Amino acid sequence: MANRPVAPEPRQAEPPWIGRAIALLGGPGVVKPRAATPLGLHAVLAAGLPGAALVHLRGNLIRIAPETAFARAIGVSTRTFHRQRQAPRKRMSAEQSGRTWKFAEILSRATEVFGSQEAAEEWLERAAIGLDQQRPIDLLSTPPGTRLVEDLLERMAYGVYA
């Protein structure tokens, strides 16, 4: 049997919410290199997203007031945001980058479930039965709360609310 080159396995298609999350953060020009794999995303976030990503995310919000629950969910004060806006190339910490990415990711997934970003933001600010009447945006400040929101979105995507 002749030695034949082995064709690489086809890459799994990137979920549409990843592209939307990257767009919310300023697109591939801001989030480099494109985080198409979990390890790639880890490397990007560990190195720190540029402050421009947070500025873009905040500027892309339609209904959510940036100074309220959004600031708590991201863990960034108004002062820190202003510093990021003044130095958009300066990298955020890995923790701030992770929380910024997670917010963009959840907003993107909710947009997919609800059909529009405006409806997704409205849902994030409304008490949810599946979260024991907690507002999803308020739960994003901790990893366990974030997992609860992600689980509820996943159930909703498949039509399972209980």
Side-chain angles (χ1 to χ4, degrees):
M1 188 177 257
N3 287 337
R4 288 189 212 154
V6 177
E9 291 189 29
R11 257 183 25 159
Q12 194 171 12
E14 182 179 276
W17 53 264
I18 288 180
R20 272 197 295 281
I22 290 171
L24 284 168
L25 297 171
V30 174
V31 181
K32 298 179 197 174
R34 188 152 184 178
T37 67
L39 281 175
L41 177 59
H42 168 76
V44 167
L45 298 178
L49 291 172
L54 178 60
V55 172
H56 280 282
L57 179 59
R58 185 176 179 202
N60 280 314
L61 296 177
I62 297 169
R63 297 180 52 95
I64 296 172
E67 289 78 23
T68 58
F70 171 74
R72 284 191 305 277
I74 300 293
V76 175
S77 69
T78 303
R79 233 174 115 188
T80 299
F81 173 77
H82 289 298
R83 282 195 304 270
Q84 296 291 354
R85 189 169 49 190
Q86 291 172 350
R89 292 182 183 199
K90 184 174 187 236
R91 300 265 172 206
M92 294 187 285
S93 70
E95 180 183 356
Q96 287 174 337
S97 295
R99 289 175 77 167
T100 300
W101 168 263
K102 188 50 79 173
F103 188 93
E105 179 185 336
I106 286 175
L107 180 55
S108 297
R109 286 183 173 188
T111 298
E112 192 172 273
V113 170
F114 292 101
S116 75
Q117 183 178 325
E118 187 171 3
E121 288 184 33
E122 186 177 314
W123 176 78
L124 283 168
E125 291 192 302
R126 204 175 43 227
I129 293 171
L131 297 172
D132 200 21
Q133 296 302 317
Q134 299 290 314
R135 294 181 339 149
I137 197 167
D138 293 334
L139 296 174
L140 297 180
S141 62
T142 68
T146 300
R147 276 192 297 280
L148 288 169
V149 173
E150 289 175 315
D151 290 347
L152 178 58
L153 278 171
E154 188 74 18
R155 291 194 318 261
M156 292 171 81
Y158 289 101
V160 181
Y161 297 96

